[in-house]
Amino acid sequence: MAFADQAGILKRGNNQEQSMVELLKVFVDQCQMAEAYFFRYSVIGFLGEGIISLEQDKVKHIPELRYDIRSLPTIEAALLERRAKYYEGQEIFEKTSSNYIIDSTVRSFLVTPVFTGTTVHGFIYGINPKTVCSPELMDRLTQFGEQAGKVLCSFSTSGYQSMLSARELEVMSEIAWGSGTKEIAGRLEISEATVKQYVKQAVKKLGVSNRAHAVAELMRRGVIF
């Protein structure tokens, strides 16, 4: 079964976190890895934040793992290009900042961005894959990451359509990823006044004080991934 096909299975999960676990299981199984990590990514601060890991079939929450992705060229390249990347041997040391200590057991690793369209929501980091990491596998991993992004985002919005409209969610998601009012207006082909109105409505419906508080609340509830 292809990566993209298996990503579709994730829709059977009851919630977003369960789907992340299933995603990691597929990733580990297909690439024959002992461990893999799922990170959330935000362009605000270029922050990569750990969510869960899967090690020898054991799931663990990893919120203590936080990185400025700009200091990790290996991961940054995968996110900027929205394409799976594989690194091994000396290349790992050459492209890793001296601020980070590389575990001696890490001989190679895979980075797979999880995204929809041009927006990267997170990435999967897998250590020491035992399968052959060919260009074809990188293509399949990239497709898998895109499909997984769609699945996870569907969980984010499906239970809250009655709270915010689709357009309000779209605008608030853009704000969460660092876009300004003018940029959002241009991208969505609406006026800046309309963007501000959507934000005002979202703030009111959520019962919060401002747009920053609204974004934080939506992230807390898992509405924005």
Side-chain angles (χ1 to χ4, degrees):
M1 183 180 290
F3 268 110
D5 293 337
Q6 287 193 291
I9 296 174
L10 300 178
K11 294 181 180 179
R12 298 177 184 173
N14 294 323
N15 54 54
Q16 193 179 76
E17 184 167 325
Q18 182 181 340
S19 293
M20 289 182 198
V21 173
E22 293 303 316
L23 187 159
L24 285 182
K25 287 181 178 179
V26 171
F27 185 81
V28 166
D29 177 65
Q30 291 290 308
C31 298
Q32 301 176 50
M33 295 183 186
E35 56 188 290
Y37 303 81
F38 196 106
F39 286 81
R40 177 188 293 112
Y41 174 66
S42 173
V43 295
I44 301 176
F46 301 93
L47 180 67
E49 182 179 13
I51 301 177
I52 56 172
S53 67
L54 180 64
E55 301 179 45
Q56 298 180 343
D57 294 326
K58 294 182 178 180
V59 178
K60 178 183 177 182
H61 289 273
I62 53 171
E64 70 279 3
L65 298 181
R66 296 166 65 91
Y67 302 102
D68 183 334
I69 298 303
R70 292 171 295 185
S71 64
L72 297 169
T74 49
I75 295 175
E76 183 181 36
L79 304 192
L80 287 176
E81 297 177 27
R82 298 188 300 283
R83 180 167 178 77
K85 297 282 187 179
Y86 172 67
Y87 302 93
E88 64 179 338
Q90 186 63 31
E91 184 180 25
I92 295 176
F93 294 91
E94 292 174 350
K95 294 186 176 182
T96 300
S97 170
S98 59
N99 295 327
Y100 295 93
I101 299 174
I102 303 173
D103 193 313
S104 59
T105 62
V106 178
R107 301 179 302 278
S108 60
F109 61 83
L110 279 167
V111 181
T112 299
V114 175
F115 64 99
T116 53
T118 60
T119 301
V120 177
H121 307 292
F123 60 93
I124 304 173
Y125 174 85
I127 297 174
N128 300 333
K130 296 179 181 179
T131 189
V132 177
C133 294
S134 63
E136 291 74 21
L137 177 60
M138 295 302 100
D139 288 340
R140 294 200 299 273
L141 276 170
T142 300
Q143 293 171 6
F144 177 69
E146 184 174 20
Q147 182 62 34
K150 293 176 181 178
V151 171
L152 293 174
C153 283
S154 73
F155 278 99
S156 296
T157 60
S158 60
Y160 292 89
Q161 291 300 330
S162 60
M163 179 180 290
L164 300 184
S165 70
R167 205 54 152 175
E168 289 164 356
L169 282 170
E170 190 173 17
V171 168
M172 297 310 297
S173 181
E174 289 283 351
I175 291 172
W177 294 108
S179 300
T181 300
K182 185 175 182 179
E183 185 179 359
I184 296 171
R187 185 173 296 145
L188 301 183
E189 299 182 341
I190 56 180
S191 70
E192 292 184 46
T194 300
V195 172
K196 292 177 181 179
Q197 184 61 29
Y198 282 133
V199 173
K200 183 178 180 180
Q201 290 170 350
V203 167
K204 182 178 180 180
K205 289 180 180 179
L206 292 168
V208 295
S209 56
N210 53 49
R211 65 171 62 192
H213 191 182
V215 168
E217 180 65 12
L218 289 169
M219 285 185 169
R220 185 187 70 79
R221 298 186 187 191
V223 180
I224 293 177
F225 174 67

